[in-house]
Amino acid sequence: MGIEHLLIVRYGEVALKGQNKPYFVKKLIARIHPLLPPGVSVVSDGGLILVAGYPAEQEEALARAITKVFGVATVSRAWRIPSREMADIRAAAVRWMEGKAGTFKVFGKRADKTYPVTSPEIAADVGEAVLVGGGGRLSVDVNRPDTSLYVHLRRNDVLFYDDSMKGFGGLPLGTNGKGLVLLSGGIDSPVAAWLMAKRGMRIHAVHFHSYPYTSKRAEEKVKELAEILSSYVGGFRVHILNLLPAQEAFAANCPESEMTILVRRMMMRAAERIARREGCAFLITGENLGQVASQTAEALAVTDAASGLPVLRPLIALDKVEIIERAQEIGTYEKSIEPYEDCCTVFLPRHPATRPKIEAILASEEKLGGGQGLENLLAAVMETEEVCAL
Ligand code: ATP
Ligand code: MG
């Protein structure tokens, strides 16, 4: 009896999408496909996605790569047999447990309700066979087994698998619009981008520096962060702009305490311009309520007012520890904490305004020549644009 090795990919939330389900599953398969070597099949089959036909030594690496695809709930390494004879099922289960010792439990799952043996009966029958086949190496523990063996009886085949690896869930990339993330070199913004991508949003990025006040190395660090992100979200572009022309004008003409908020509003304007040009309908930031002076409720409202696009702030209500945990989980943390300067630290006010009033900020912007003055500054910033494609 032939045993085929395969990977079972389960989708979580995608499964809830009524009429759109085939669309989401197709998108998910399209995301998994490029990760596979040539000739490996990936198909939707009875509510599961099955990957088959890969070289055995690549199984572990493939399974790990697939857990990183948004929309994937779990991945299991599995066997499939084409026979539904109990004798064949028992034999395959005994082979599955070969070389294993300790306690085990068999779970039966009868997806085909016309099959005459019920799920508990399958579990008991196969469990008995494994116990005997184990010749004393194995014993049953139904509460905390070392090994769980799932026997999944379907219409035309039987699947065997043990505990599965967890994916991130979410929705397949490319199913929910496009956003432009304001990507600093810090801890928060890479996590913000990752969280939106996990909901299916395609991501592009913009980064601001203040060269020569900030170093080329700081810029490299951001590209390296973007590289880590791209292992989840695929290739994307990072637009890199020098904010210095605007920062110098603010420093020369406006109250020092307003520096941060004025710079943040300029970032929003430049980001909006790039977003509209690149077909991104949203801006994404790593802002978090109350984290720093520029992220008080009042400051966020004043920042928001500078842009005509909706600003998504997926971290808004998280605690810093939660953000750090996520950054560690996705692998951006170590890079983020490398100590390089950010453009926001240039001209940092000694006493930043924590409760800025929009009227006062507009008055300061008026000192730069009003609409046209701002427009000229924005143009000077836009002129410095470089694009890094990942
Ligand atoms: P992060 O850890 O993401 O740097 P932060 O807590 O340091 O965030 P701020 O420096 O106030 O907070 O920045 C808030 C948000 O503004 C960032 O999450 C990011 O989205 C955006 N931002 C800040 N600096 C830059 C920059 N140099 N380039 C692009 N976006 C930036
Ligand atoms: Mg920062």
Side-chain angles (χ1 to χ4, degrees):
M1 177 200 37
I3 291 177
E4 186 187 16
H5 288 244
L6 40 79
L7 294 172
I8 299 174
V9 181
R10 295 179 199 81
Y11 32 86
E13 204 170 323
V14 174
L16 305 176
K17 303 268 162 202
Q19 292 213 324
N20 282 335
K21 186 171 155 183
Y23 164 76
F24 280 93
V25 172
K26 219 170 122 195
K27 282 278 188 189
L28 193 52
I29 287 178
R31 291 288 156 213
I32 294 171
H33 195 260
L35 306 174
L36 308 175
V40 176
S41 77
V42 48
V43 292
S44 168
D45 181 337
L48 303 171
I49 292 175
L50 301 181
V51 177
Y54 47 79
E57 68 276 11
Q58 291 186 17
E59 186 172 68
E60 171 86 29
L62 279 179
R64 295 226 168 276
I66 295 170
T67 58
K68 289 179 90 176
V69 173
F70 295 134
V72 170
T74 61
V75 180
S76 308
R77 300 154 74 169
W79 285 359
R80 169 161 66 181
I81 59 169
S83 162
R84 306 200 310 170
E85 294 296 326
M86 281 309 295
D88 293 329
I89 296 173
R90 286 184 208 114
V94 170
R95 273 184 67 182
W96 179 277
M97 295 298 292
E98 263 170 21
K100 294 193 171 68
T103 59
F104 76 98
K105 178 178 180 181
V106 177
F107 294 82
K109 183 174 176 194
R110 183 181 56 152
D112 176 4
K113 300 295 177 214
T114 64
Y115 193 75
V117 186
T118 65
S119 299
E121 285 165 354
I122 295 172
D125 184 315
V126 175
E128 178 72 29
V130 168
L131 196 61
V132 173
R137 277 183 296 112
L138 294 162
S139 60
V140 175
D141 181 347
V142 292
N143 297 316
R144 301 191 60 175
D146 299 327
T147 305
S148 298
L149 169 58
Y150 296 84
V151 178
H152 184 170
L153 194 129
R154 309 195 311 160
R155 208 165 286 278
N156 297 306
D157 56 16
V158 182
L159 302 175
F160 300 80
Y161 50 88
D162 54 19
D163 291 330
S164 39
M165 301 180 208
K166 266 178 99 59
F168 294 113
L171 296 170
L173 201 64
T175 54
N176 262 306
K178 232 161 92 172
L180 181 72
V181 62
L182 284 80
L183 189 65
S184 71
I187 296 168
D188 302 333
S189 45
V191 175
W194 187 91
L195 283 172
M196 292 320 301
K198 182 160 100 77
R199 297 305 301 172
M201 185 169 277
R202 273 213 146 279
I203 300 295
H204 284 289
V206 57
H207 174 70
F208 300 98
H209 61 86
S210 309
Y211 188 78
Y213 290 87
T214 56
S215 66
K216 283 286 169 198
R217 186 63 194 97
E219 215 177 302
E220 284 308 311
K221 173 185 164 182
V222 171
K223 289 182 192 165
E224 286 159 14
L225 271 174
E227 190 88 43
I228 299 172
L229 275 178
S230 74
S231 73
Y232 298 96
V233 309
F236 65 98
R237 284 188 296 281
V238 187
H239 302 262
I240 300 172
L241 290 89
N242 192 339
L243 259 188
L244 200 54
Q247 288 174 304
E248 285 176 336
F250 296 144
N253 297 288
C254 308
E256 190 201 66
S257 63
E258 292 174 358
M259 192 68 197
T260 309
I261 198 85
L262 289 166
V263 167
R264 299 206 48 73
R265 281 166 61 85
M266 184 54 83
M267 282 188 187
M268 289 299 185
R269 290 191 188 94
E272 175 179 2
R273 196 146 292 187
I274 293 168
R276 290 193 187 277
R277 196 185 66 205
E278 301 294 322
C280 297
F282 301 89
L283 301 180
I284 302 165
T285 76
E287 286 163 318
N288 174 247
L289 189 61
Q291 193 183 85
V292 288
S294 61
Q295 296 175 31
T296 61
E298 293 82 353
L300 288 174
V302 173
T303 302
D304 230 35
S307 147
L309 287 178
V311 182
L312 304 177
R313 300 181 166 95
L315 309 186
I316 194 72
L318 298 188
D319 288 344
K320 192 73 188 185
V321 282
E322 296 173 273
I323 302 172
I324 288 175
E325 276 168 15
R326 184 63 93 170
Q328 286 168 331
E329 183 187 9
I330 68 176
T332 52
Y333 183 73
E334 292 300 324
K335 182 58 61 186
S336 288
I337 58 173
E338 284 179 8
Y340 291 102
E341 64 290 342
D342 184 67
C343 71
C344 291
T345 56
V346 180
F347 307 107
L348 196 65
R350 273 157 298 180
H351 303 289
T354 53
R355 308 218 180 289
K357 296 264 178 302
I358 186 76
E359 299 76 18
I361 298 297
L362 290 175
S364 290
E365 288 176 348
E366 210 39 55
K367 289 190 203 131
L368 298 160
Q372 191 55 47
L374 280 176
E375 182 56 40
N376 294 346
L377 282 180
L378 181 56
V381 170
M382 293 303 297
E383 199 136 285
T384 67
E385 182 178 0
E386 293 166 64
V387 181
C388 167
L390 291 162

